[in-house]
Amino acid sequence: MSISSCNDFMGFQEALKKMRDIDDKIIYALNTSLPTESFKGQIDREKTCRDLYGHLRTGHEKREEAIRNCILVSAETLKSLREKRDTNPNDIEIDKKFKSEQRKLRVLQSELNVEDIVKERSYKAFNERCRIFFQAGPSVL
């Protein structure tokens, strides 16, 4: 799943939601990937944890990069609309677009906060189940 366009804001948010799927289902992923003690010899739990960590980290990096990119695009659009609005103060359409872009920028900035919360929650669940499998584990441990 990739986030390709910041212009389709609803599509962007839907893509973010789909990309957060692994975070939303982290407990399920850990439970199905890491067997109980009775099956511990059948699966390399350390490798499984490292793979899951890699998927989490990659997803977080991609989402944060996409959000930051869209923030930059939105900020540039807002700057352009502000200049147009300053030169045409009575143009209602430009004013509507300006206010809409302001709201979009605020939502994008709040997505960074959401991303931090999602990341923290995922790593907490990951650490609870995987920390015992690492001597010198990934940096989140």
Side-chain angles (χ1 to χ4, degrees), residues 66-120:
I67 294 167
R68 289 188 186 283
N69 179 54
C70 285
I71 286 173
L72 290 174
V73 168
S74 183
E76 284 298 316
T77 302
L78 196 59
K79 180 181 174 184
S80 173
L81 287 169
R82 180 176 287 124
E83 291 169 0
K84 288 179 183 178
R85 194 173 94 166
D86 290 346
T87 59
N88 302 314
N90 297 326
D91 191 329
I92 295 171
E93 279 304 309
I94 291 176
D95 194 49
K96 283 182 184 179
K97 288 179 183 177
F98 178 80
K99 289 178 182 178
S100 175
E101 195 65 34
Q102 276 184 318
R103 284 188 295 275
K104 179 179 169 183
L105 182 57
R106 281 189 211 112
V107 170
L108 285 168
Q109 290 168 334
S110 72
E111 284 294 343
L112 283 178
N113 295 330
V114 170
E115 193 61 29
D116 285 341
I117 292 166
V118 167
K119 191 184 321 183
E120 182 180 326

Side-chain angles (χ1 to χ4, degrees), residues 25-39:
K25 297 177 181 172
I26 186 70
I27 302 297
Y28 176 78
L30 287 165
N31 287 340
T32 58
S33 299
L34 300 172
T36 60
E37 283 296 313
S38 60
F39 294 101

